[in-house]
Amino acid sequence: MPNTFTPDGDGINDVFLPSLDGFAVREYNLTIWNRWGEMIFETDDEAEAWDGSLGEAPVQDGVYIWQIELHAKNFVGRKRMRGHVTVLR
């Protein structure tokens, strides 16, 4: 999982998109949370990346928590993964 990205518009490392290589995804949910416990991004599409914004406004530099809930053909049941990502502009 990437742990830092730089959404500064230079076309390099501008989004946070977890790598799911090796998983045949059936169901997927990605959420991003700020340090106050507010969900600021959610998607059910494993190809949709977070661009470091909340609505139309860019978020502040800092650490954000991500969580993925995944159901894949490779294993029985659901898997939950959590981590953090740092936004640097």
Side-chain angles (χ1 to χ4, degrees):
M1 238 20 108
N3 63 6
T4 304
F5 73 109
T6 57
D8 55 12
D10 67 357
I12 301 169
N13 201 29
D14 282 338
V15 296
F16 174 70
L17 183 62
S19 173
L20 297 174
D21 292 343
F23 289 102
V25 176
R26 289 183 177 170
E27 294 176 34
Y28 172 89
N29 179 260
L30 167 66
T31 52
I32 308 287
W33 305 79
N34 66 19
R35 62 180 155 173
W36 296 282
E38 300 167 323
M39 186 185 345
I40 60 172
F41 178 80
E42 181 175 28
T43 184
D44 292 327
D45 180 354
E46 71 258 25
E48 183 179 359
W50 180 47
D51 65 0
S53 65
L54 173 55
E56 298 293 320
V59 298
Q60 294 180 353
D61 285 7
V63 177
Y64 295 83
I65 304 301
W66 59 263
Q67 176 176 287
I68 295 174
E69 292 188 36
L70 180 69
H71 184 208
K73 296 176 186 175
N74 311 46
F75 50 85
V76 176
R78 298 190 187 295
K79 186 173 273 236
R80 179 180 293 158
M81 299 173 275
R82 293 182 182 137
H84 66 275
V85 62
T86 302
V87 174
L88 295 174
R89 294 189 196 281

